[in-house]
């Protein structure tokens, strides 16, 4: 399978890449701003000797002006993309009244605009695949009716936006591309540690990555247009 994973340098994204690589025979297109971390992950994946290919794409997804270059690098390596996992995310924890316009742009650029534009930009590559699947990594914090947390107003709203987009695109591209959104609860990553120091999450990145990797490969046979909570709590 040809698979794009955004936010692959660390946390859930890196763990998902390892799980996919373990299943073998994939071409992974891994994206983040951290070239060193991506190169390290590439070496790790290639050492598995499971017939994987890795293309490192060192891009800042909040700068959508560079998307034509990003897309041309992907297109020069493949004619089709089977799976896009929009995992890259950013969290800013602040009281609502303290958010600057730049903070709000940052939250929506990374969590909503970048994945939306990436989907739009690779539509021809997705449509050329046999059974394409887009998995948007949303969050329980943006899931309707879930418990909300102080300081996460724009994070939660941006995640609700990507969930809603998932449903809308399912309608627009029915019978062509499957779209699903996964809404994880807390996972012990650097993002969580930076946002909520000392908080202990019930899941490790590898644990949720096993689920996400399997869902990306097989979930579209059972789900389409779904916003799925992946959480041990309400
Ligand atoms: N951890 C949790 O408890 C939790 C719960 C629910 C949902 N989620 C979601 O799961 C996803 C992964 O979270 P995580 O906990 O693994 O976070 P993380 O450890 O902070 O990893 C975030 C990833 O996103 C990438 N990223 C951020 N901004 C980027 C940008 N402008 N351009 C390109 N890449 C960018 C980072 O790469 P670089 O910094 O190298 O660019 C990094 O690889 C996020 O969408 C998050 O919202 C996490």
């Amino acid at each position: 399978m040809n698979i794009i994973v955004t936010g692959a340098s660390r946390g859930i994204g890196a763990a998902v890449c390892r799980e996919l690589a373990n299943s073998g025979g994939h071409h992974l297109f891994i994206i983040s701003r951290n070239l060193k971390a991506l190169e390290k992950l590439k070496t790790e994946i290639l050492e598995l000797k499971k017939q994987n290919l890795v293309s490192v794409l060192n891009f800042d997804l909040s700068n959508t002006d560079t998307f034509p270059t990003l897309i041309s690098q992907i297109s020069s390596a493949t004619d089709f993309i089977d799976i896009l996992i929009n995992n890259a995310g950013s969290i800013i924890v602040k009281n609502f009244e303290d958010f600057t316009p730049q903070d709000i742009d940052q939250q929506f650029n990374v969590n909503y605009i970048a994945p939306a534009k990436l989907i739009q930009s690779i539509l021809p590559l997705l449509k050329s695949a046999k059974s394409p699947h887009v998995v948007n990594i949303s969050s329980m914090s943006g899931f309707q009716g879930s418990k909300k947390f102080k300081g996460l107003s724009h994070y939660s709203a941006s995640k609700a936006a990507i969930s809603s987009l998932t449903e809308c695109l399912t309608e627009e591209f029915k019978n062509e591309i499957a779209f699903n959104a996964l809404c994880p609860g807390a996972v012990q990553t650097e993002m969580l540690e930076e946002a909520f120091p000392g908080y202990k999450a019930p899941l490790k990145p590898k644990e949720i990555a096993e689920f996400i990797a399997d869902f990306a490969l097989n979930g579209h046979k059972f789900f389409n247009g779904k916003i799925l909570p992946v959480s041990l709590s309400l």
Side-chain angles (χ1 to χ4, degrees):
M1 297 271 183
N2 293 326
I3 306 172
I4 300 175
V5 181
T6 71
S9 62
R10 66 180 201 177
I12 295 170
V16 167
C17 290
R18 289 187 190 99
E19 293 305 318
L20 290 168
N22 259 319
S23 63
H26 303 303
H27 187 162
L28 299 178
F29 295 81
I30 58 176
I31 306 178
S32 106
R33 294 164 299 182
N34 186 337
L35 180 60
K36 209 170 151 196
L38 293 181
E39 291 290 1
K40 190 163 170 273
L41 181 65
K42 177 178 176 175
T43 304
E44 202 184 314
I45 289 171
L46 296 180
E47 279 172 0
L48 284 172
K49 295 199 171 70
K50 294 203 173 176
Q51 294 180 317
N52 296 299
L53 291 172
V54 181
S55 293
V56 165
L57 299 160
N58 184 210
F59 283 87
D60 179 348
L61 292 168
S62 65
N63 179 7
T64 54
D65 291 347
T66 62
F67 273 35
T69 313
L70 169 64
I71 305 311
S72 80
Q73 288 188 18
I74 297 171
S75 303
S76 67
T78 182
D79 295 332
F80 63 95
I81 290 295
D82 298 287
I83 298 171
L84 165 63
I85 304 178
N86 273 316
N87 164 78
S90 157
I91 193 167
I92 298 174
V93 186
K94 275 189 183 181
N95 291 332
F96 182 69
E97 60 263 44
D98 296 332
F99 269 91
T100 64
Q102 292 77 17
D103 291 333
I104 301 170
D105 283 351
Q106 148 96 1
Q107 289 291 257
F108 276 84
N109 281 341
V110 180
N111 296 344
Y112 176 75
I113 293 173
K117 286 198 173 168
L118 187 55
I119 293 167
Q120 190 185 32
S121 306
I122 66 156
L123 279 173
L125 293 173
L126 287 167
K127 286 181 182 180
S128 300
K130 201 168 152 212
S131 192
H133 188 197
V134 175
V135 180
N136 293 320
I137 304 301
S138 182
S139 169
M140 275 310 283
S141 65
F143 189 78
Q144 190 183 14
S146 66
K147 177 174 163 39
K148 297 296 184 284
F149 295 91
K150 194 169 181 293
L152 295 189
S153 51
H154 291 294
Y155 175 78
S156 298
S158 65
K159 289 297 189 180
I162 195 65
S163 290
S164 182
L165 182 76
T166 305
E167 293 180 319
C168 297
L169 296 184
T170 305
E171 183 56 29
E172 282 202 33
F173 298 99
K174 60 181 161 200
N175 306 324
E176 286 184 292
I177 304 169
F179 291 88
N180 287 296
L182 297 177
C183 301
V187 182
Q188 199 63 46
T189 64
E190 287 168 80
M191 174 189 275
L192 188 82
E193 182 54 32
E194 284 159 16
F196 300 104
Y199 183 89
K200 289 285 166 255
L203 286 179
K204 296 189 179 73
K206 182 176 175 10
E207 293 169 319
I208 193 144
E210 285 171 12
F211 175 82
I212 294 173
D214 181 59
F215 185 84
L217 293 168
N218 299 304
H220 59 302
K221 297 172 197 161
F222 308 99
F223 299 96
N224 190 19
K226 300 295 186 291
I227 314 302
L228 299 166
V230 187
S231 173
L232 293 166
S233 55
L234 291 173

